[in-house]
Amino acid sequence: MTIYYSLTFMLLAAEMVTFCLLVAPLPYAIKKRLFTFLTESKVVAKVAYGLKISFIFVAILFADALQRMFRVTAESDLAKSNKGMVTDLRTDTSIAARKFYAQRNVYLTGFCLFLSLVLTRTFYIILDLIHTQEEYAKLKKAGTSGAGGAKSEDQTKEIASLKKQIAELKQQERDFDILKKQAAQNSAEYDRLATELNTLTGSNKSNKRVD
């Protein structure tokens, strides 16, 4: 395996490890810190930029490997069609080896490119999920505080209603006291008038007796 295909294999292995880390069932706090670091770190941004350039070269290798595979496959089909002719075993072995290497290179570069797309999409899906969970937590907290505010508002209304009832009861009590005082005054005035009436009536009777 040549050096660039060896590097492609190492890149594919790194992508597989990264994918396993992304889909691993990590706690929410750790996953949030990890993705925050990956999105905000300048070093990670530079590494991502370098990986984009490397994937361009991998795409070129994929196109070259695909072209070689088609050419070797055509040579293999041509060799099979000439079975009636005397063929060399070493030639057949060489064609089979070239076909195997061409297919291996196509699969290697193709899976590397495909996994890069899967990683990118998975990364942004998980990032959107984290943002959605944050928004949900904020809305839930706001809903809880809103419910508390509504509860306090209800309590305020109830307190105001109770104060109003207390004021009405105090006003009724004052009115009752006024009526009680008026009744007492009326009773005293009635007693005074009755006493005067009795006095006058008694004096009239005594005058009649004298006459």
Side-chain angles (χ1 to χ4, degrees), residues 6-72:
S6 299
L7 293 175
T8 303
F9 176 75
M10 293 175 61
L11 182 60
L12 178 62
E15 288 177 343
M16 294 173 65
V17 173
T18 305
F19 181 77
C20 292
L21 289 176
L22 289 179
V23 299
L26 298 175
Y28 174 74
I30 297 176
K31 185 174 290 187
K32 182 180 178 181
R33 291 179 182 177
L34 176 62
F35 277 82
T36 302
F37 172 75
L38 292 176
T39 53
E40 296 180 357
S41 177
K42 295 182 179 180
V43 177
V44 176
K46 292 180 180 179
V47 172
Y49 181 75
L51 288 175
K52 290 179 181 178
I53 296 175
S54 65
F55 284 128
I56 294 174
F57 287 105
V58 172
I60 295 173
L61 290 175
F62 174 74
D64 181 67
L66 192 64
Q67 184 180 3
R68 288 185 180 182
M69 187 185 70
F70 288 151
R71 185 171 63 249
V72 173

Side-chain angles (χ1 to χ4, degrees), residues 4 22 29 44 47 63 65-66 72 84 99 117 121 129 149 155 158 188 191-192:
Y4 40 86
L22 289 179
V44 176
V47 172
L66 192 64
V72 173
K99 185 177 181 180
L117 297 176
R121 185 57 183 163
L129 179 61
Q155 290 178 351
E158 186 176 358
D191 292 338
R192 186 181 65 80

